[in-house]
Amino acid sequence: MKFAITLLLIGGSIALSSPAFAAKTEAQTTYEAAKDSAAADYKIANARCDGLAGNPKDICVAEAKAARTQVEANAKAQYKGTVSERASARKDIANANYGVDKAKCENQGGNQKDVCLKQAKATMTAAKADATADKKVIDARTDAHDDKQTANYKVALEKCDALSGASKNTCIDAAKTKYGQ
């Protein structure tokens, strides 16, 4: 009898943990599919570049790489789901776009090329700075929200101190639930 109960409990715990495992597997499967799709699209785009020569080929290859980087970085950011990963994806995309812009500049000469390269570098720097700034803003807002929740929780607990017995316990439990403590 004890063995049957043990098996039932183990089976129940496996059944309850399966949805969480399935969700993780689904997210990972989506991420892997996006990476595979990006690799396949890159091969096709790169094959199209083979018919070109010189700078147009360099631009084509850089665009193919940038497209692959964008898909992979966005897929990874979505899979990981963190602010840091989203910022990292934006920086990776900025680097890839810089490569495209740089390849386009190679076609020019003299001062025009220098200006083009400086503009490409400035665009990349701006995109990376925006990604870093957005991450810092989100982190600051999260910290501020947490600080507000903690302060409001302390106020609620102080209000609960005026009560006693079961009503005090109910008040404390309600405050913990409301403020996520």
Side-chain angles (χ1 to χ4, degrees), residues 12-160:
S13 65
I14 291 172
L16 290 175
S17 66
S18 293
F21 180 72
K24 176 130 174 106
T25 303
E26 183 178 333
Q28 188 172 12
T29 302
T30 303
Y31 170 60
E32 294 295 331
K35 281 180 33 180
D36 292 344
S37 173
D41 290 347
Y42 172 73
K43 285 180 183 178
I44 292 169
N46 205 22
R48 286 187 200 136
C49 298
D50 288 341
L52 302 172
N55 187 255
K57 181 176 183 171
D58 295 341
I59 293 170
C60 182
V61 170
E63 287 173 342
K65 286 179 182 178
R68 179 180 185 175
T69 299
Q70 184 170 3
V71 171
E72 287 179 349
N74 285 332
K76 185 176 180 183
Q78 187 171 359
Y79 172 61
K80 298 280 184 169
T82 65
V83 175
S84 296
E85 197 58 50
R86 286 186 198 103
S88 177
R90 288 176 62 188
K91 290 176 184 178
D92 290 346
I93 292 167
N95 284 332
N97 289 339
Y98 174 65
V100 172
D101 292 343
K102 214 165 90 171
K104 289 178 180 178
C105 293
E106 292 300 318
N107 188 354
Q108 301 173 14
N111 188 41
Q112 282 183 330
K113 180 178 180 179
D114 294 341
V115 170
C116 183
L117 288 171
K118 294 277 186 197
Q119 181 60 50
K121 182 76 170 178
T123 301
M124 179 191 65
T125 301
K128 286 181 168 185
D130 286 344
T132 300
D134 288 348
K135 180 188 178 305
K136 287 180 181 179
V137 167
I138 290 169
D139 287 344
R141 286 190 177 161
T142 301
D143 290 345
H145 178 266
D146 292 346
D147 291 346
K148 289 177 191 177
Q149 288 291 89
T150 301
N152 287 332
Y153 174 66
K154 288 179 181 178
V155 170
L157 285 181
E158 193 65 33
K159 289 179 182 177
C160 293

